Amino acid sequence: MTGGKRVTCVVAGRVQGVGFRAFTLAQAKMLGLTGRVRNGSDGRTVELTVEGDADRVEQFLREVEQGPPLAHVEQIRTTALDGPAHYKTFEIEH
């Protein structure tokens, strides 16, 4: 196991209305990660923050790049975050 990692991402494409948030929730729980996911206000993006073991965060990001079957990810903008873990669970924000 490697050290902790925290990132925030904006995922663009066909990612709203296709189960994308539920997909990220399931992936994060499976990998033991914490954070949050929500739809972007523009109707084309999903914003998420994820934190946990660095290798598992990287695995999560690979899964997010693929997305659920009905999604089409066009772009992911990822930014590393400094500081300690902030979240205790992974949740969908409405």
Side-chain angles (χ1 to χ4, degrees), residues 1 24-34 50-53 55-64:
M1 185 155 21
T24 61
L25 174 67
Q27 293 298 314
K29 287 189 174 200
M30 182 178 68
L31 293 167
L33 301 172
T34 59
V50 64
E51 53 192 27
D53 174 78
D55 289 338
R56 291 180 183 210
V57 168
E58 290 299 322
Q59 183 178 349
F60 173 85
L61 294 174
R62 286 191 298 272
E63 295 297 331
V64 166

Side-chain angles (χ1 to χ4, degrees), residues 38-84:
R38 66 180 175 204
N39 282 335
S41 60
D42 61 4
R44 287 192 21 75
T45 59
V46 168
E47 303 164 356
L48 64 91
T49 301
V50 64
E51 53 192 27
D53 174 78
D55 289 338
R56 291 180 183 210
V57 168
E58 290 299 322
Q59 183 178 349
F60 173 85
L61 294 174
R62 286 191 298 272
E63 295 297 331
V64 166
E65 190 173 342
Q66 297 302 310
L70 296 177
H72 176 73
V73 175
E74 295 175 4
Q75 179 184 34
I76 300 177
R77 291 188 317 267
T78 303
T79 305
L81 299 173
D82 292 327

